[in-house]
Amino acid sequence: MRTAIIGGGAAGFFLAVNLKEMMPEMDVTVFERSQRVLTKVEVSGGGRCNCTNSFANVSDLQQVYPRGHRLMKRLFNVFNYKDAYEWFELHGVPLVTQDDDCVFPKAQDSHAIIDCFLSLARRYGVRICTGEKITSLSQLEDFDNIAVTTGGSPSRKGLEWLSASGHETEPPVPSLFSFSVADKQLQSLQGLVVNDVTATLSGSKLRADGPLLITHWGVSGPAILRLSSYAARYLAEREYLSPLSIRWVQLTEEEIRDVIKEQQMLHAQKQLSSYCPFGLQQRLWAYLLQKSLEQRASIRWAEINKKDINRLVNVLQNDVYEIAGRAPFKDEFVTCGGVSLKAVNLSTLESRHVPHLYFAGEVLDIDGVTGGFNFQAAWTTAYTVATSISRQEITSKSSRK
C-alpha cells in the first residue's frame, strides 16, 4: 500500500503523519517541487504561526470562510479546531490563545510546529522528496493513493494538469491583501493602528470590522485583510480599483452630534484640535479635522456651526478613499479559487473523476480570513483525507479476505 502526497506544506505533512498514525504499514511519500518544505508555515504569523483560532466569536462559519463554509461545517464533524488544539498539545506543541482568539505555539515560533512535523515524519518513516515537480498523475502510477496538497495556485495555468483529468476548477485570484491608497496625507500617519473601524467597499454590501493599520502605501490590518477576503472576486473583476469607506467611530450620527454639543458647553474656548472626544489618536484626529473642515480646522468648540458638524459627522462615519490597487508587495499568502468543490466527494474529499485521488488544503476552493482559519482548513481537510484513505484500505483488506 503506497500513498503519494504532492506538496510539502501544512496540509501535506499533517496528512502524512496522521495517515501513518492511522495505518503504520502504509508507505507514504511527500513530493515537494522546491528544495525546502513547510516554507509557508515558517513565515506565517510573522514567524510565529497562527495555527488555528478558538472560534469563540464565530457564530456562522461564513464569517470566516467566504468560500467553502458549508464544507467546513460538514468536515468539522470529523476534525475541528478543538481537535486541532488537542492534537498539537498531545504531539508536544503547547499552544496559547490570545485575547483576539488567535492560537499560537507557546514558544511563539513557527519552528515548534515545523520541528514537530519533521520529527514525526522521520519517526514514522515518511519519505520526503524535494525538488520533485509533479505535473501529471501518470508520474505516480505506482502508487495506490494520491493526495494533492499543492496549496493555492497563482494562476489557472497551475491547475491545468488537474483540469486535464476532468476536474472542474475555479479561477484563482489573490485574497488577504492590503490596499494601496494614493493619499499622501493619510500615508503620513503610517504606523497608526485604529482598533475598531468598519471598512466598506462603497456601492456594495461588502464590509468588515476590526483594527486598521495605516501604512506608507495605504491601509492594512485585520479589517482590511478580512474585507479583501470577502471581496476577492469583486475586486479582481474591478482590477483592484474601488471606493473605500472607513467608519472611524462606532457611534450613531445622533450620538456623535450629542458628543459635539457636550464639548461646546464644556470646552467652548478650547481649539477643536486640542484633544479628541472620540478616542482617536491625536494625529488622526487632526488629520480628519483638516480633511473635513479645511481652513476652519483650528476654530474653537464654541465657533463650530451646523455645516461644520455635518462635515465632521460625515468624515467620522463615511470617510471615502480610492483604492488604487493591491499593496505593492508580493505578500498574498492565500488565494481564492482552486479545485472546485463540485469535483470532490464532500465527505471524503476523493475526486469524483479519478478513483483514489484526494485533495486537501488550499488547492481546494476553500479560503478563510486572517486569524488562523486557513491553517485550520488545512488540518481539517488533511485529517479527513487521511481518515478516508485509511478507511478505504481497511475496507479493501476485509473484502480480499
Side-chain angles (χ1 to χ4, degrees), residues 257-293:
R257 291 180 184 278
D258 287 343
V259 169
I260 293 173
K261 290 176 184 177
E262 183 180 23
Q263 300 310 307
Q264 284 181 297
M265 291 187 292
L266 294 175
H267 305 292
Q269 298 309 309
K270 291 185 177 179
Q271 287 187 321
L272 294 181
S273 58
S274 62
Y275 78 104
C276 176
F278 299 101
L280 301 175
Q281 296 94 327
Q282 195 64 34
R283 283 200 297 153
L284 177 59
W285 174 239
Y287 163 76
L288 294 175
L289 285 175
Q290 186 64 43
K291 185 174 184 180
S292 57
L293 304 186

Side-chain angles (χ1 to χ4, degrees), residues 5 30 37 42 67 154 156 165 213 268 283 388:
I5 298 173
V30 175
V37 296
E42 184 175 33
R67 287 150 292 272
R156 198 154 202 167
S165 53
L213 168 67
R283 283 200 297 153
S388 301

Side-chain angles (χ1 to χ4, degrees), residues 28-71:
V28 177
T29 303
V30 175
F31 294 94
E32 169 56 44
R33 65 185 298 174
S34 65
Q35 295 300 322
R36 296 177 61 220
V37 296
L38 297 165
T39 54
K40 190 170 175 181
V41 174
E42 184 175 33
V43 299
S44 68
R48 296 189 299 139
C49 191
N50 180 189
C51 57
T52 187
N53 193 281
S54 74
F55 284 72
N57 291 302
V58 179
S59 57
D60 183 340
L61 288 185
Q62 192 169 7
Q63 295 172 267
V64 294
Y65 292 108
R67 287 150 292 272
H69 62 280
R70 291 187 182 88
L71 176 59

Side-chain angles (χ1 to χ4, degrees), residues 325-345:
R326 303 199 309 274
F329 305 106
K330 301 288 185 180
D331 61 351
E332 292 98 12
F333 281 99
V334 177
T335 55
C336 152
V339 174
S340 172
L341 301 186
K342 298 174 185 175
V344 299
N345 179 309

Side-chain angles (χ1 to χ4, degrees), residues 100 193-197 209-213 220-226:
D100 61 0
V193 176
V194 188
N195 285 322
D196 188 14
V197 308
D209 302 316
L212 177 143
L213 168 67
S220 187
I224 297 301
L225 294 176
R226 283 186 176 231

